[in-house]
Amino acid sequence: MLFDDASADFHGFFERHYAELARLAYLLTGEPDAADDLAADALLALRRRWDRLRAAEQPLAYARGVVANLARARIRSSVRGRRRVALFWSHRSKRVDGPDVAAVVDVRAALDRLPFRKRACVVLRYAFDLSERDTALALGVSVATVRSQTSKGIAELERMLGTRVAGELVADRRNR
């Protein structure tokens, strides 16, 4: 099967960014099974508009925004407040990869307790190393909102995890 230029271009975009979008979906929802579905749904939505989007300045920012919106919709429709946390813990995989399993579980649980916008800002800024501008583009908010929500999110993480642990997370990302 031969690809036209748009199909080949989209295929390249898919290959370069699918894993990142799935990881973003996982970090936003905490649901490993849903992450692939959300990334695929986002890319399907992009494919339908690819002729317009490939000419855009930041198609990846648009893709991240679609994933964030799909993740938000999934969270809102599945549960509210404490029920969401309970659902996550009862359905999550028991296996967690990483060098310090207890720390990973603590950070994951702390992220789950953050409101969606704060969580999205913290995840995009520190887990994905996006600039404030790129985070704002992905979430469709102002740079000032990103600054505010990130600051408040880090402050809440510090309260939950302790200043030293949260500070190490932020410092580790800044020193890369």
Side-chain angles (χ1 to χ4, degrees), residues 27 30 32 40 63 88 90 111 113 116 119-120 133 150 157-158 169:
L27 288 170
F88 169 75
S90 68
L111 281 171
R113 289 192 300 261
F116 181 82
R119 182 181 343 142
R133 181 181 170 276
T150 302
L157 288 174
E158 286 175 347
L169 292 172

Side-chain angles (χ1 to χ4, degrees), residues 2-176:
L2 294 175
F3 290 118
D4 61 12
D5 286 343
S7 293
D9 192 35
F10 179 77
H11 181 75
F13 181 87
F14 179 96
E15 292 292 323
R16 284 188 310 275
H17 301 294
Y18 177 80
E20 175 187 340
L21 295 172
R23 189 173 57 148
L24 172 61
Y26 170 71
L27 288 170
L28 294 176
T29 65
E31 299 178 32
D33 296 335
D36 285 331
D37 292 341
L38 292 172
D41 289 348
L43 285 162
L44 182 60
L46 263 66
R47 179 62 182 110
R48 291 183 186 128
R49 298 175 192 87
W50 189 247
D51 288 336
R52 285 181 287 147
L53 288 174
R54 73 180 182 153
E57 186 176 320
Q58 300 263 345
L60 181 56
Y62 183 83
R64 289 177 181 137
V66 172
V67 169
N69 287 335
L70 289 171
R72 181 183 305 117
R74 181 175 182 87
I75 289 168
R76 284 181 178 164
S77 68
S78 65
V79 288
R80 299 273 186 213
R82 292 194 184 272
R83 288 180 54 211
R84 185 180 81 234
V85 174
L87 181 64
F88 169 75
W89 285 112
S90 68
H91 289 97
R92 72 182 282 280
S93 170
K94 300 299 180 204
R95 188 175 140 257
V96 177
D97 295 330
D100 185 351
V101 174
V104 170
V105 170
D106 289 346
V107 170
R108 179 71 247 166
L111 281 171
D112 281 344
R113 289 192 300 261
L114 289 178
F116 181 82
R117 187 174 284 173
K118 289 177 188 171
R119 182 181 343 142
C121 287
V122 169
V123 165
L124 288 170
R125 292 282 290 126
Y126 295 105
F128 284 83
D129 291 324
L130 292 186
S131 68
E132 290 172 340
R133 181 181 170 276
D134 289 342
T135 300
L137 279 171
L139 297 175
V141 298
S142 70
V143 171
T145 298
V146 169
R147 282 188 195 120
S148 169
Q149 294 297 295
T150 302
S151 175
K152 290 175 182 177
I154 293 297
E156 287 185 39
L157 288 174
E158 286 175 347
R159 281 192 295 278
M160 288 185 258
L161 298 170
T163 304
R164 185 185 59 79
V165 174
E168 287 175 8
L169 292 172
V170 173
D172 179 51
R173 301 309 292 185
R174 288 182 181 153
N175 292 330
R176 287 188 179 181

